[in-house]
Amino acid sequence: MGDFYRRDGNRRPPKRRYRDDDEDGDYNRRGDRYGRDDPLNRLKRETIKIAESALVKIEDSIQQLADGFVKNFDDEEFRAGYLAVLHDLVVEQPFKIPFVATIVRIANVANEAVGKATIDHFGAELHRYWKGGAFTQFKLILRFFTCLGDMVGADGVYPILEQLWTKLETYNTEGNEGLVLAIVYMILITLPYAAVSGSEKFSNETITEILGKVEKYADVKHPLQTLLDPFSGNQPPYNEPRAQGVHMVSVLFQNIQLSITEEPANDWSGTNCLPTPWKDMITTGTAQTLPTLELPEDFPLDKSTIFPEYYFSVFADQPFKTVPSCMDLSNAIFRDAIVDTINLLDCNRLTVSRYLIELDCFYNPRSFIRRATPYDRVNDAAAAGTSTWKPEDIAVDAIFSQLFRLPTPQHKLVYYHSILTELCKLQPAAIAPSLGRAIRFMYRNLEIIDTELIYRFVDWFSHHLSNFGYTWKWAEWSEHLNFPDVHPKKAFVLGSLEKEIRLSFATRIKGTLPDPFKELIPEEREKEQPVFKFDLPDNPLADVGKDLLTVVAERKPEPEVKEAFEKVALAAQERGLIDDSDPGAVTRDAYVTVICHIGAKSLSHVLSCIERTKETLLALGTEHPDARRQIVASVLSYWKDQPGIGANVVDKLLNYSIISPISVVEYVLSDAGPEALSRVHAWEMVATTINKVNNRLKQILAAKDSVLGAEGVLPEQIAVFEETLKGAREEQEAILKLVTERLGKLASSEEDEGEGDVESRAWVMWWAKGWLKAFRRKFGVKDEADVVMENDDEVAV
């Protein structure tokens, strides 16, 4: 080895590259430490990456993996580990199911024991998922068996499908509508894979027979189905036109049923996108026997949480189709696999984003136009007769379908936000233009989109801009600045700016806007802290208000606090500010305002202040029937220029039980004014409050069996539990009644406030109808016969 020298010319000895402590010279090489020569780890890595690179011939990869599977199959540790890898790929990465199935088909040709072990392993998992009600995982393993073709016998998966549709009649009872629709969907989405699997059983006649078996279940209606339509169904005032090409009432499984019905006549052109690597490989081996599926009478899950999914597309009205039509079978195939990937791999948004970017690697590449092709060049592809489907558009479309899924997405909204952000970071040239067109679609159709989705759109839009410097072409919407504040488009702009300010600060956001939009952020919103009203010289209670602030801020003893209270009450009485119906209103307002001012620096400050003064606040809340409602009003009055912060403080007060849920709803619907229905913070206050009430009742009901059926439970304890359950139900019923009555009056113009112009009042009615629909959905109200929103004529101007 050559000599090593320092810069100063002095020699230094060479570093030892390996450990030489062992006498036999068995060096512990780094590669061995990481197990790089271990067959299981090597095949794991290669199998997990299958089909991810368009530069590698997929048939060569499959053959190599199948050979490795067969070669090491006799090793028990390898067999168990590799089967676990194949299982995880199937139930977590649906894109790769056809490739995994081909590996098994090739391995089965070389060694039938490999095929049998694989079938046995997946058969046990199939049965476990079905009994546990894990229908997505069941569907994916069923798809894996389908892609095995004749390897699972001449009948393929037909016997399993037959068991499913036979059992449907048993499941088709009241309350099981969602379950029936979910099973029908599983059967239908399996058929495209069966058609290309090479199984002789699935001829056109057989598939037509299956469609006939499940056709009668297409008429099954979920009790809340009309409330799940992502488009409101409300006729906007002034008969504003709907966007052309928007599909508003199509349930996803109905689309699949109709499109499959047309496929035999079209030579199954809708399945041309599917990869079929087994067709160019020798896959004729020993046929294995599929396990018999045991179908239980019931499932250990809440079937009321299973809802039909509506088709929702943000690219539906484009002149050139960059995503397949909703009636194209390819659309259902793409959407199903993408949605499952997003929802099953929620532990790693980075991996999900990468797979979505590489969507075209997992399907027939001729099905897509080249990634990042500008939209204005899609016309050239259409003229040439080639595909115009953009893989990035298909991915973005599927994400938005989940972000705007009703009644709730499967994951927290921020998860879908983060996927879209990561996609932009991975391939900005491809994703950014797609998101731009999606945003413009949503904005263009705000008047007909479900009200809850408008607020979700505000949340995502503002959050997304916060990750990319708050830049947007606001000038495109400048013509809508003259609209009333309650117009959906103007309300969206105002709500987005309010959210951006929450995520940053007003001065910065104002600097990102063109001049016409800067007027939407007044100078008051640029202040670091709201003005303390007792600092104003014209406030009649300025002196006593400041004294109360000093006493509370300096944590004076209770007697001094009471003395400060008495001074405020006396000063208010001397100045004629006392309302005889509620004498403590002025003092209460002053105290809540003081607490807001002390805690205005940060959330931790206000929480600390609330905890210190909790007992006093609880006492103030019981002074009068409307006391809690007034506390809410005082908080929102202090934060009038930053209502989002005020809504957050109200939520904390609700957590401490200082205010009640119904007091929050009463304030928004009765005290804040009808125009509040278009404000983001008002929606957040009511929606968050109602969600808490509903969740509390669900938790009590979930604990009912365990509490009442436990051994050693005393009658007194049961009585307390029953009383708690009764109180939770009464609270929910009272809020539902309040929401229904108040919004019903606003929506039907029974209560005319006499404020605002005709157009503004018409839009208030429109918002009230949207809120009514959204909250009936949250409460699970099934009967819509008396809902005023069904009468569109009532809002016509």
Side-chain angles (χ1 to χ4, degrees):
M1 184 178 292
D3 293 337
F4 289 79
Y5 292 89
R6 300 180 187 273
R7 290 186 178 180
D8 57 7
N10 296 324
R11 181 185 298 178
R12 69 178 181 185
K15 294 181 179 179
R16 288 187 301 177
R17 293 177 178 269
Y18 308 106
R19 295 180 181 177
D20 55 359
D21 296 336
D22 298 333
E23 294 181 358
D24 58 359
D26 184 15
Y27 302 122
N28 185 13
R29 294 180 175 84
R30 183 183 181 190
D32 292 338
R33 288 205 308 273
Y34 285 88
R36 294 187 176 182
D37 294 329
D38 179 51
L40 177 58
N41 288 332
R42 179 177 56 80
L43 280 183
K44 274 185 178 180
R45 291 192 300 272
E46 293 176 0
T47 304
I48 291 172
K49 295 179 179 179
I50 190 170
E52 291 183 10
S53 174
L55 302 177
V56 179
K57 190 176 180 181
I58 189 61
E59 289 81 3
D60 295 341
S61 295
I62 290 173
Q63 187 66 57
Q64 182 181 0
L65 293 171
D67 291 344
F69 190 8
V70 173
K71 179 180 178 182
N72 299 282
F73 176 74
D74 292 334
D75 184 335
E76 185 175 347
E77 181 179 354
F78 171 89
R79 182 167 63 250
Y82 195 65
L83 285 175
V85 172
L86 296 181
H87 168 266
D88 291 346
L89 274 179
V90 168
V91 298
E92 293 180 0
Q93 302 182 29
F95 295 139
K96 300 179 180 179
I97 290 177
F99 308 104
V100 174
T102 309
I103 293 173
V104 176
R105 292 174 79 160
I106 299 300
N108 182 66
V109 173
N111 185 348
E112 63 182 77
V114 175
K116 184 179 186 306
T118 304
I119 295 296
D120 291 344
H121 176 84
F122 278 89
E125 293 298 298
L126 182 77
H127 189 256
R128 180 172 68 88
Y129 285 133
W130 181 255
K131 287 186 66 177
F135 297 134
T136 300
Q137 289 84 350
F138 174 86
K139 174 189 67 178
L140 296 177
I141 291 185
L142 180 61
R143 181 175 305 167
F144 168 73
F145 283 148
T146 304
C147 291
L148 292 178
D150 289 335
M151 177 187 154
V152 291
D155 288 339
V157 296
Y158 184 88
I160 295 179
L161 297 181
E162 186 177 28
Q163 283 182 281
L164 292 180
W165 76 63
T166 302
K167 198 68 174 179
L168 274 175
E169 193 62 40
T170 303
Y171 295 146
N172 191 20
T173 58
E174 185 177 357
N176 281 355
E177 294 87 357
L179 174 64
V180 170
L181 295 176
I183 295 175
V184 171
Y185 177 80
M186 281 191 286
I187 295 173
L188 293 175
I189 199 61
T190 301
L191 296 181
Y193 295 87
V196 300
S197 66
S199 176
E200 296 180 0
K201 179 66 175 179
F202 286 94
S203 62
N204 290 344
E205 292 76 13
T206 302
I207 292 178
T208 301
E209 174 199 348
I210 295 174
L211 291 174
K213 297 288 186 181
V214 300
E215 183 179 8
K216 63 179 179 179
Y217 300 104
D219 296 329
V220 173
K221 300 293 183 183
H222 192 280
L224 299 182
Q225 187 159 315
T226 55
L227 296 177
L228 303 178
D229 182 2
F231 294 87
S232 66
N234 295 344
Q235 179 65 35
Y238 305 104
N239 297 319
E240 296 193 10
R242 298 178 185 266
Q244 296 297 320
V246 179
H247 304 284
M248 294 178 217
V249 291
S250 52
V251 180
L252 197 56
F253 90 92
Q254 293 174 341
N255 289 352
I256 298 173
Q257 183 185 32
L258 293 174
S259 58
I260 293 179
T261 302
E262 302 295 328
E263 284 298 312
N266 297 328
D267 198 23
W268 291 95
S269 60
T271 63
N272 290 341
C273 63
L274 284 172
T276 53
W278 54 77
K279 286 188 176 181
D280 298 324
M281 308 185 75
I282 299 175
T283 59
T284 304
T286 303
Q288 306 293 340
T289 303
L290 276 178
T292 302
L293 187 64
E294 298 178 13
L295 302 180
E297 296 299 323
D298 203 358
F299 300 92
L301 78 163
D302 184 1
K303 292 184 282 295
S304 66
T305 61
I306 306 176
F307 298 97
E309 190 160 337
Y310 273 80
Y311 176 77
F312 183 90
S313 174
V314 292
F315 301 116
D317 60 347
Q318 297 180 144
F320 301 109
K321 298 299 181 183
T322 59
V323 299
S325 163
C326 71
M327 298 308 298
D328 192 318
L329 185 57
S330 301
N331 188 300
I333 292 171
F334 293 142
R335 180 71 63 89
D336 178 81
I338 295 172
V339 168
D340 285 347
T341 300
I342 292 170
N343 290 328
L344 293 169
L345 276 180
D346 58 301
C347 59
N348 194 333
R349 69 181 190 279
L350 300 178
T351 299
V352 171
S353 302
R354 182 167 59 84
Y355 287 158
L356 296 186
I357 283 291
E358 298 170 351
L359 177 67
D360 49 351
C361 293
F362 305 114
Y363 293 95
N364 185 340
R366 293 189 295 274
S367 298
F368 308 97
I369 198 172
R370 187 175 180 179
R371 294 183 209 167
T373 299
Y375 181 72
D376 55 6
R377 295 185 58 187
V378 173
N379 185 26
D380 298 337
T386 59
S387 175
T388 60
W389 299 345
K390 292 170 66 67
E392 59 268 28
D393 278 18
I394 295 174
V396 167
D397 207 29
I399 298 170
F400 274 109
S401 75
Q402 298 307 293
L403 178 61
F404 297 130
R405 181 177 182 267
L406 292 173
T408 56
Q410 291 195 23
H411 300 285
K412 291 184 177 180
L413 294 173
V414 70
Y415 171 57
Y416 303 102
H417 294 191
S418 64
I419 293 177
L420 291 168
T421 299
E422 294 301 330
L423 286 174
C424 274
K425 292 178 179 178
L426 287 172
Q427 282 202 0
I431 300 299
S434 294
L435 287 183
R437 282 181 281 116
I439 291 169
R440 292 176 178 91
F441 170 87
M442 292 295 295
Y443 184 81
R444 192 163 56 245
N445 293 286
L446 283 173
E447 294 88 345
I448 60 172
I449 290 176
D450 185 90
T451 303
E452 184 173 354
L453 300 188
I454 294 177
Y455 294 114
R456 286 193 206 172
F457 182 36
V458 170
D459 284 345
W460 169 75
F461 180 71
S462 54
H463 185 195
H464 189 75
L465 294 190
S466 73
N467 290 314
F468 298 96
Y470 297 99
T471 56
W472 175 251
K473 297 179 180 179
W474 293 100
E476 295 180 6
W477 301 337
S478 57
E479 62 180 306
H480 302 140
L481 292 180
N482 295 326
F483 286 179
D485 288 352
V486 291
H487 190 286
K489 287 185 168 61
K490 180 73 172 292
F492 171 79
V493 172
L494 293 173
S496 298
L497 294 179
E498 179 187 325
K499 283 279 190 175
E500 288 186 15
I501 292 173
R502 289 194 220 175
L503 296 169
S504 182
F505 49 92
T507 304
R508 181 186 178 190
I509 300 304
K510 199 169 186 177
T512 65
L513 300 174
D515 290 339
F517 285 81
K518 292 181 179 180
E519 298 178 0
L520 300 178
I521 303 179
E523 294 183 4
E524 291 78 8
R525 304 199 69 176
E526 299 183 61
K527 296 178 180 179
E528 294 184 3
Q529 189 170 323
V531 175
F532 185 50
K533 66 181 180 181
F534 297 117
D535 284 338
L536 300 175
D538 58 347
N539 191 302
L541 302 177
D543 293 338
V544 291
K546 291 178 183 178
D547 291 342
L548 181 61
L549 174 65
T550 302
V551 170
V552 177
E554 296 180 359
R555 307 187 183 189
K556 296 294 183 180
E558 188 65 24
E560 293 190 36
V561 176
K562 289 184 178 180
E563 183 181 350
F565 266 43
E566 292 172 357
K567 288 181 180 180
V568 173
L570 181 60
Q573 187 173 12
E574 291 175 352
R575 292 163 177 77
L577 302 177
I578 296 293
D579 185 354
D580 293 337
S581 63
D582 186 9
V586 175
T587 308
R588 215 162 34 240
D589 175 70
Y591 191 68
V592 173
T593 302
V594 163
I595 289 175
C596 288
H597 191 64
I598 295 173
K601 293 183 179 179
S602 68
L603 181 60
S604 60
H605 279 76
V606 75
L607 288 177
S608 175
C609 192
I610 292 173
E611 288 177 355
R612 284 195 295 108
T613 60
K614 179 180 177 182
E615 297 303 322
T616 304
L617 287 170
L618 286 171
L620 292 175
T622 59
E623 288 181 343
H624 189 270
D626 292 333
R628 294 186 178 94
R629 187 164 154 185
Q630 189 213 349
I631 290 174
V632 178
S634 297
V635 172
L636 270 297
S637 176
Y638 178 81
W639 289 106
K640 63 181 184 299
D641 295 320
Q642 299 182 53
I645 298 178
N648 198 5
V649 174
V650 168
D651 185 58
K652 305 311 175 189
L653 293 172
L654 188 60
N655 291 340
Y656 283 102
S657 299
I658 293 169
I659 57 178
S660 62
I662 198 166
S663 64
V664 178
V665 180
E666 283 178 335
Y667 167 78
V668 174
L669 298 185
S670 299
D671 300 343
E675 292 78 11
L677 298 183
S678 65
R679 303 295 301 278
V680 172
H681 76 276
W683 167 266
E684 290 176 350
M685 290 171 65
V686 178
T688 301
T689 300
I690 289 178
N691 287 339
K692 287 183 177 181
V693 170
N694 289 341
N695 289 336
R696 178 170 177 261
L697 181 58
K698 287 179 181 178
Q699 291 168 1
I700 295 174
L701 290 173
K704 182 177 180 180
D705 294 336
S706 59
V707 172
L708 300 183
E711 295 182 3
V713 180
L714 300 175
E716 295 81 5
Q717 294 173 311
I718 295 177
V720 171
F721 179 84
E722 293 286 1
E723 188 65 27
T724 303
L725 178 58
K726 179 182 177 183
R729 281 176 169 157
E730 289 176 350
E731 183 179 50
Q732 187 189 56
E733 291 171 0
I735 293 178
L736 174 59
K737 181 179 179 181
L738 172 64
V739 167
T740 303
E741 290 181 354
R742 179 60 180 160
L743 291 176
K745 289 180 179 179
L746 291 173
S748 62
S749 192
E750 291 181 20
E751 185 171 326
D752 191 350
E753 302 288 342
E755 299 178 1
D757 55 24
V758 174
E759 182 180 2
S760 296
R761 290 199 297 271
W763 281 115
V764 166
M765 293 165 61
W766 181 90
W767 281 104
K769 288 185 177 185
W771 276 50
L772 187 58
K773 176 188 175 185
F775 288 118
R776 290 176 70 89
R777 181 170 60 233
K778 287 184 180 294
F779 281 113
V781 178
K782 302 175 184 179
D783 183 16
E784 291 187 278
D786 59 343
V787 181
V788 294
M789 67 182 191
E790 296 293 336
N791 186 356
D792 290 331
D793 296 335
E794 293 177 352
V795 294
V797 177

